Amino acid sequence: MSNAIDQTRRMLSLVTYLRERPGAEVAEVARAFGISERELIADLNVLPMCGTSFRGGDLLDIDTDGERIWWHNVDDVAQPLRLAADEATALLVAARAVAGLPGLRAGDREALTRAVAKIENAAGESAEGSARVGVTFEAESHVFADIDRALSEGRRLWLRYYSHGRGGMTEREVDPIRLLTEGHTYLEAWCRTSEDHRMFRLDRVAEIRVLDVPADPPRREPRDLSGGLVNPAADDPEVVVEVSSGGRWVAEYYTHDRAEELPDGGLRITLRSADPSQLRPLALRLGRDGRIVSPPELAEQARSAAREALAAYGEGRV
């Protein structure tokens, strides 16, 4: 997976590129955009879900045989865009939310404000409902603003950050690299504490400061994130978790080797983690909907943590 903003820009350019080059070769297009063929195929899998609307034949009819790319309805989607009421509402709500972020560059805020005015004018009565809808971001707006500032100015950041693996707050200095989105928004950065690349979830940042120190992350090729942000290694320790029907969401949110159906509608999920102790909070979150089966020491750690939590509330045994 790539930076969400970069990917959006690339896919917009990709539409124009493919329109002018019927039957373009996959390898040639990947080279032109400076991405791997795997990343290009991932983009091509998204494009058929895009179009002028989700009605009728308005979606992009683009496919590939692995060697060449074909766009079958170029003329159909080249018609002037007309927004439906729900589309205008979604676009206006998103634009107003971003325009209201503190720390947004003045030029970007002005451009968004002009765009909102034009959409409102074009949508007419269809846009009225958008004024009654608001958006709350998963992280405090100043977190976005400070990270954006640090990235644009090449500055280091100080974070007070909740670490699930350590089970508490940590203080770190990091050199920011880029923002990424996969379910949650993450900051990829070089962590000066661990001397390694790390991903920080923005909704776990409790405090943030832009430091008067130049950021200097080690130079390296950007990771291929087309398979997701978390890619466990084949030799990482194996963890087995059994969940009831109420815990099936674990298979959707965690990269795993296999998920076997259980008679009660649950799943037996096998996954890998470089640090299995980081999965202890998962067991606590699952509660009655799941348990760690192996390794046995991790299962006991989870039970001990649950006992301590219940003892604090004067509850019974686990």
Side-chain angles (χ1 to χ4, degrees):
M1 190 194 71
S2 61
N3 178 305
I5 296 176
D6 290 342
Q7 185 182 27
T8 300
R9 290 171 177 162
R10 182 175 69 239
M11 291 176 68
L12 289 171
S13 301
L14 185 57
V15 169
T16 302
Y17 186 95
L18 295 177
R19 183 177 60 202
E20 298 172 353
R21 296 169 177 80
E25 295 183 0
V26 169
E28 176 188 341
V29 177
R31 282 196 300 271
F33 282 83
I35 58 177
S36 67
E37 292 186 22
R38 182 178 178 182
E39 287 178 297
L40 174 60
I41 296 300
D43 286 350
L44 294 176
N45 289 335
V46 173
L47 284 178
M49 294 183 282
C50 305
T52 55
S53 80
F54 287 97
R55 299 168 177 79
D58 296 333
L59 298 180
L60 305 182
D61 185 6
I62 296 176
D63 63 32
T64 177
D65 59 6
E67 295 184 2
R68 291 183 176 273
I69 305 167
W70 306 98
W71 185 353
H72 303 290
N73 64 340
V74 176
D75 295 334
D76 294 338
V77 298
Q79 301 301 317
L81 175 64
R82 290 180 175 83
L83 292 175
D86 57 340
E87 295 167 331
T89 297
L91 187 57
L92 286 168
V93 169
R96 289 196 188 103
V98 175
L101 283 175
L104 189 68
R105 297 184 185 92
D108 292 340
R109 194 187 308 279
E110 291 171 5
L112 274 171
T113 301
R114 290 194 299 270
V116 166
K118 290 178 181 178
I119 296 170
E120 286 177 334
N121 183 57
E125 293 182 359
S126 299
E128 293 180 0
S130 66
R132 297 189 294 271
V133 181
V135 172
T136 300
F137 289 94
E138 66 173 344
E140 294 292 338
S141 56
H142 70 86
V143 174
F144 287 97
D146 285 346
I147 291 175
D148 179 70
R149 178 185 163 201
L151 286 168
S152 62
E153 297 179 3
R155 307 264 291 278
R156 186 172 297 174
L157 287 164
W158 173 86
L159 306 177
R160 196 162 73 89
Y161 181 79
Y162 179 76
S163 171
H164 263 305
R166 300 182 184 182
M169 290 291 181
T170 61
E171 294 185 11
R172 305 161 185 249
E173 289 189 7
V174 304
D175 291 341
I177 298 172
R178 55 179 172 169
L179 285 168
L180 301 156
T181 300
E182 186 182 86
H184 297 278
T185 304
Y186 296 81
L187 169 66
E188 181 181 7
W190 176 260
C191 178
R192 294 286 167 178
T193 303
S194 59
E195 289 296 313
D196 199 1
H197 285 84
R198 290 287 188 266
M199 293 287 185
F200 299 96
R201 257 178 58 173
L202 265 59
D203 61 341
R204 294 179 183 165
V205 176
E207 292 183 50
I208 185 169
R209 289 200 302 267
V210 180
L211 301 179
D212 192 20
V213 178
D216 186 26
R219 300 289 184 267
R220 72 167 186 176
E221 288 295 315
R223 286 173 53 199
D224 179 4
L225 301 176
S226 55
L229 293 179
V230 181
N231 295 294
D235 57 352
D236 283 345
E238 187 176 89
V239 178
V240 178
V241 181
E242 288 188 354
V243 300
S244 67
S245 57
R248 293 179 68 94
W249 56 267
V250 174
E252 299 176 11
Y253 283 85
Y254 287 81
T255 301
H256 55 277
D257 292 343
R258 57 186 178 276
E260 305 164 80
E261 293 286 345
L262 296 175
D264 62 355
L267 292 172
R268 183 182 177 91
I269 303 168
T270 302
L271 49 84
R272 295 183 182 277
S273 174
D275 182 5
S277 66
Q278 293 185 355
L279 296 173
R280 188 170 60 243
L282 170 62
L284 297 176
R285 180 180 177 186
L286 282 167
R288 297 181 183 276
D289 285 328
R291 67 188 184 96
I292 293 174
V293 177
S294 68
E297 59 271 20
L298 179 59
E300 180 54 38
Q301 289 174 16
R303 283 193 291 269
S304 296
R307 290 190 192 99
E308 291 173 5
L310 289 173
Y313 287 92
E315 298 289 344
R317 298 179 180 177
V318 177

